[in-house]
Amino acid sequence: MLRTEPQIKADYVAQGAVSLAFHPILDHGDASRLAHHAAECAGSQAPLAFWQMHDLLFERQSQIWSANADTMTQWAGELGLDTAAFGVCMAGDTLLQKVERMDQARRDAGIRQRPSFDLNGEIIAGALPYASFASLIDAAD
Amino acid sequence: MLHLPGGLSRLPRRLGVVCVSLGVALGPAACGGQAPASTSATATAPVGATAAPPVIPTVMSTVAPTAASTGEPRVATDAPGEEAAVLLPTLTPTAGATATPVDWLATVTVEGDYYILGNPAAPVRLRDYSDFL
């Protein structure tokens, strides 16, 4: 939801009409694991930091391929997070296992296409233009 | 983009207040309390931290890191004859005071495995299954 998310946030989330949840899909091996692990480690320090790291990861998408745990720790520092604690988190596997478990859960649920969406229980496979999202959201409200 | 001021450990320090009682020790609920771990947290005010209007002077002060990091109220002094100052991480107005609009874009609630951004009671929940790559 990279392109449409900012508009959905501005038009619906900010108004209290829509809440967002993010479910990991690990389609690109270690690079995916690294990124999702970083988002979880950020969230473990402060819930809002999950979404800040989420946004940062999408902004720096092209850099993730060559990134490592130290890169993620540096980015966490840019967000004002405790880098020592973040590094410990990234070195551990608790939240990595959480990410992998969630990824498996979506596979078990038959959600294969990336991205996919669950809008009040209705599964939508594939990216949609903003206008389509808006129509679905307005109809669901 | 919102930047956390040094993470959760620094957030209370930035918003730290000294709630000075008039001979009556105030519990955590009186001047704003610690937000539960499983509820929402905002960058500007903690969830659940409702407080009575301050009838006593409050002073913005730096909160000691240990107290701030735990988010728990700490009695600053217990000397006889002195008022007990309870250092609390936050202070929010109650109903009747001017209502501050909720910044839903800075509100995140933990629900199970998910970090829910926005109004957790919103009529529409949109779950994004995606990769960062």
Side-chain angles (χ1 to χ4, degrees):
Chain A
M1 195 162 62
L2 180 59
R3 295 184 184 85
T4 59
E5 186 176 276
Q7 200 166 354
I8 290 175
K9 284 182 177 178
D11 293 347
Y12 291 98
V13 179
Q15 318 309 323
V18 171
S19 59
L20 293 179
F22 187 77
H23 191 113
I25 287 183
L26 304 178
D27 268 358
H28 296 91
D30 289 341
S32 292
R33 287 185 181 81
L34 178 72
H36 287 279
H37 192 188
E40 289 289 337
C41 284
S44 69
Q45 289 198 30
L48 181 60
F50 172 88
W51 284 95
Q52 294 175 328
M53 181 61 81
H54 162 281
D55 293 349
L56 193 61
L57 288 164
F58 273 116
E59 285 178 17
R60 299 179 181 179
Q61 194 176 53
S62 62
Q63 300 178 45
I64 295 175
W65 293 105
S66 59
N68 55 27
D70 289 339
T71 310
M72 296 298 141
T73 301
Q74 180 181 342
W75 293 359
E78 294 179 27
L79 296 176
L81 299 178
D82 182 332
T83 53
F86 191 89
V88 170
C89 182
M90 290 297 292
D93 60 3
T94 301
L95 292 179
L96 181 59
Q97 290 176 358
K98 172 190 173 182
V99 168
E100 292 174 341
R101 173 173 52 78
M102 293 178 73
D103 181 58
Q104 185 60 48
R106 63 95 185 170
R107 293 173 188 271
D108 294 343
I111 296 173
R112 302 284 177 171
Q113 192 161 349
R114 175 178 46 88
S116 290
F117 305 95
D118 178 330
L119 196 154
N120 281 5
E122 177 184 355
I123 300 298
I124 304 160
L128 294 177
Y130 173 75
S132 299
F133 265 118
S135 296
L136 291 169
I137 290 170
D138 293 341
D141 191 352
Chain B
M1 174 182 295
L2 286 174
H3 290 276
L4 291 177
L8 188 62
S9 63
R10 289 170 57 182
L11 184 60
R13 182 163 65 226
R14 190 174 79 140
L15 299 177
V17 296
V18 174
C19 193
V20 180
S21 70
L22 296 175
V24 178
L26 298 176
C31 292
Q34 176 186 6
S38 60
T39 60
S40 58
T42 70
T44 56
V47 171
T50 57
V55 295
I56 50 180
T58 60
V59 177
M60 293 297 295
S61 71
T62 58
V63 178
T66 53
S69 61
T70 62
E72 295 176 348
R74 175 173 67 85
V75 177
T77 176
D78 202 21
E82 290 190 9
E83 299 167 351
V86 179
L87 300 178
L88 298 166
T90 59
L91 177 67
T92 57
T94 57
T98 303
T100 302
V102 179
D103 183 356
W104 293 120
L105 293 178
T107 300
V108 179
T109 307
V110 179
E111 291 184 11
D113 286 332
Y114 295 104
Y115 293 97
I116 307 300
L117 176 66
N119 178 8
V124 176
R125 173 67 54 86
L126 181 60
R127 187 180 306 169
D128 176 11
Y129 292 83
S130 191
D131 198 345
F132 289 111
L133 297 163

